[in-house]
Amino acid sequence: MKKILITGCFLLASTMIANAQDDCKVLMKEISQSYKGDCKNGKANGKGEAKGKDSYSGEFKNGLPDGKGNYLYSNGDFYNGSWSNGKKDGQGSLSFKREGKTDSLVIGFWKKDKYMGKYEHLIYVHSRTTQFTTIDIKKSKGISANTIAINLTNTTAGSGGLSGTIAAKPVVTDIIVSKGSYQSTQEMTKGPKTSSKVLLNVQFPFRAKVFSGSNIMDIEISEAGEWTVEAALNN
């Protein structure tokens, strides 16, 4: 009698678990036919596997892929990476099936299912001292040279101070590279208020601290090309 009771309790518990899995919803139609994994408030939450026309294995939040996960599309395409609210979002890789050819692999960053590029930030100013009032980084179109022109401008340069002396224009005094490299530099004439130092044969991605005396800006440029950094100083 005791053995029968234990067996009955086990079967009841198994049924309850199975029903709980059936009641755990996945809110993405393409993978909503079946689910196995963690559940909270009737929705997939935590780690799990969901199947339908497509299949997904990874992290869920409120019934949708959210976090790290692998997604296999019905046509054979495969994505491995970050998700947010049911959309590819963050770093990942997407493999495209090509009939009779080697699969095509795209690696980089996504935002709301849209591929943003190989790098999360194409340009980035990590830090700067307060004397740098503006830093504007732009890429020239249609030019393949790998260069970075650093233009420093001071609005007070070239004008006389209270003592009658002419304020000197700012110049690049040092460059400390932490990512990438450059082969050489070239000084360019830009007038009494602006100096220009051009970095030649730059290897990207490139990151460096650029010094003008005690003033420092830490900039990063990920993509190869011809770039111009316009920086204004208020000394």
Side-chain angles (χ1 to χ4, degrees), residues 79-95:
Y79 174 78
N80 172 31
S82 297
W83 294 80
S84 178
N85 200 33
K87 297 182 183 295
K88 296 184 290 293
D89 201 297
Q91 189 172 15
S93 63
L94 181 58
S95 175

Side-chain angles (χ1 to χ4, degrees), residues 21-231:
Q21 291 291 307
D22 291 340
D23 292 338
C24 196
K25 293 181 180 179
V26 173
L27 302 182
M28 183 182 289
K29 182 180 178 181
E30 293 80 2
I31 55 172
S32 61
Q33 289 184 8
S34 66
Y35 173 75
K36 182 193 298 183
D38 298 332
C39 191
K40 183 179 179 181
N41 297 327
K43 296 177 184 177
N45 271 277
K47 293 183 178 181
E49 297 179 10
K51 294 181 180 180
K53 182 182 73 171
D54 304 332
S55 61
Y56 171 83
S57 174
E59 296 176 311
F60 286 84
K61 184 178 179 181
N62 295 327
L64 293 170
D66 196 293
K68 301 292 184 181
N70 303 319
Y71 194 102
L72 178 62
Y73 295 86
S74 58
N75 64 358
D77 294 348
F78 181 78
Y79 174 78
N80 172 31
S82 297
W83 294 80
S84 178
N85 200 33
K87 297 182 183 295
K88 296 184 290 293
D89 201 297
Q91 189 172 15
S93 63
L94 181 58
S95 175
F96 293 96
K97 280 288 183 182
R98 300 193 298 175
E99 189 173 350
K101 298 180 181 179
T102 305
D103 293 353
S104 176
L105 182 65
V106 176
I107 299 174
F109 290 83
W110 276 258
K111 187 69 175 177
K112 294 183 179 179
D113 267 346
K114 182 180 178 181
Y115 180 66
M116 303 304 294
K118 187 176 179 180
Y119 303 100
E120 184 174 14
H121 301 289
L122 196 59
I123 58 175
Y124 200 80
V125 179
H126 290 277
S127 64
R128 62 185 179 186
T129 51
T130 56
Q131 287 80 6
F132 280 104
T133 56
T134 60
I135 300 174
D136 188 20
I137 306 175
K138 292 183 178 180
K139 184 181 182 183
S140 300
K141 295 182 179 180
I143 301 176
S144 59
N146 291 332
T147 61
I148 301 175
I150 302 171
N151 300 332
L152 300 183
T153 301
N154 188 337
T155 55
T156 62
S159 59
L162 294 175
S163 63
T165 58
I166 302 299
K169 62 183 177 181
V171 295
V172 175
T173 55
D174 197 9
I175 300 173
I176 298 179
V177 178
S178 57
K179 184 185 296 184
S181 64
Y182 65 92
Q183 193 174 80
S184 59
T185 64
Q186 181 179 1
E187 303 290 339
M188 303 292 289
T189 302
K190 287 287 183 178
K193 295 185 178 183
T194 303
S195 69
S196 180
K197 184 184 287 287
V198 182
L199 311 185
L200 304 173
N201 297 317
V202 180
Q203 295 294 319
F204 295 89
F206 180 86
R207 179 178 177 181
K209 288 183 177 179
V210 179
F211 292 78
S212 178
S214 60
N215 304 313
I216 309 170
M217 60 176 173
D218 184 352
I219 60 173
E220 183 171 4
I221 302 174
S222 298
E223 187 175 79
E226 183 169 344
W227 293 86
T228 301
V229 180
E230 299 282 355

